[in-house]
Amino acid sequence: MNATGGDEGTVTVVFTWDVRPGREREFERWASGINQAGTRWPGHLGATWLRSEGARYRYYTVLNFTDRERLDAWLDSDERAGWLDRLDGIAKGHRHHTTGLETWFSLPGESVPAPPRWKMVIVTFCAVYPMSLLIQLVVVPPTRPWPVALKAVTFPLLLVPVLTYVLMPLLSRALRRWLYPQGRDLPPASPQERDVP
């Protein structure tokens, strides 16, 4: 497991699930249930599930919490332990170390390399530019009289959460075929992508 820090102490942990062939539907029902249980926990910011189709029967969960303490409370809870007990014979889970941001573009434990940096720069620019424009139009005029230090802290407080939780996940999924050209072993975007813990 890795619980990487982000702004205001937010943490991310990535799980890989190797599902026994033929048990995918059971696993997906289990995933839906544990997701609903997790969302009731304080600090839960959402989770994304990615399915790697093909012969490997592999799934991923990218789980976000507001802080390490609340994440640990969920990970160590009796409720979650009960859910994990139900996985016996269905799937095996693994936790991974990440730096956090690269999960926008790649998945740990995969042979799929991250896209070229120039592609990551373009995708990031496509996310930052409209936000920057919106901030210039909506936020800058009313904040002109504010002290520079206060203005400087306002912009990242608005920009970083929207990039992290909305724009970058949407863009990386929408541009997945371009980021990972055909012929590379990529986990494809599909209707299977949904929230799980």
Side-chain angles (χ1 to χ4, degrees):
M1 171 187 77
N2 180 44
T4 61
D7 291 320
E8 302 298 320
T10 59
V11 289
T12 301
V13 63
V14 180
F15 297 90
T16 299
W17 307 96
D18 290 317
V19 180
R20 285 198 175 185
R23 310 292 295 270
E24 297 86 2
R25 294 224 183 264
E26 289 172 82
F27 177 79
E28 290 172 9
R29 283 193 296 272
W30 172 87
S32 178
I34 195 172
N35 179 60
Q36 290 190 4
T39 59
R40 294 190 292 269
W41 278 71
H44 189 280
L45 294 175
T48 301
W49 175 18
L50 303 169
R51 179 180 179 186
S52 179
E53 295 179 351
R56 291 172 302 174
Y57 305 99
R58 182 166 284 179
Y59 294 71
Y60 304 91
T61 307
V62 182
L63 176 62
N64 298 292
F65 264 78
T66 54
D67 56 69
R68 180 63 184 255
E69 185 178 349
R70 288 184 174 130
L71 171 66
D72 287 343
W74 164 243
L75 294 179
D76 298 334
S77 69
D78 291 338
E79 183 176 8
R80 183 173 180 273
W83 279 99
L84 291 176
D85 287 343
R86 298 179 199 180
L87 261 191
D88 191 33
I90 297 173
K92 192 176 214 181
H94 313 279
R95 301 174 185 180
H96 294 282
H97 293 279
T98 70
T99 60
L101 295 180
E102 81 273 16
T103 58
W104 285 344
F105 297 106
S106 63
L107 294 167
E110 280 296 303
S111 59
V112 182
R117 287 186 182 183
W118 66 269
K119 287 188 176 184
M120 290 191 278
V121 167
I122 290 172
V123 174
T124 306
F125 176 83
C126 289
V128 172
Y129 178 74
M131 275 299 296
S132 177
L133 187 60
L134 189 64
I135 286 171
Q136 292 298 319
L137 292 172
V138 177
V139 179
V140 169
T143 61
R144 280 193 213 284
W146 293 10
V148 172
L150 185 57
K151 286 192 282 191
V153 78
T154 301
F155 303 138
L157 282 175
L158 295 171
L159 185 65
V160 173
V162 173
L163 284 177
T164 302
Y165 297 111
V166 180
L167 295 178
M168 289 305 293
L170 285 174
L171 281 173
S172 62
R173 278 194 284 260
L175 299 173
R176 186 175 301 239
R177 294 287 172 201
W178 177 69
L179 288 166
Y180 303 93
Q182 288 208 341
R184 295 173 75 180
D185 187 14
L186 72 129
S190 74
Q192 303 288 343
E193 289 189 10
R194 57 183 180 266
D195 287 340
V196 299

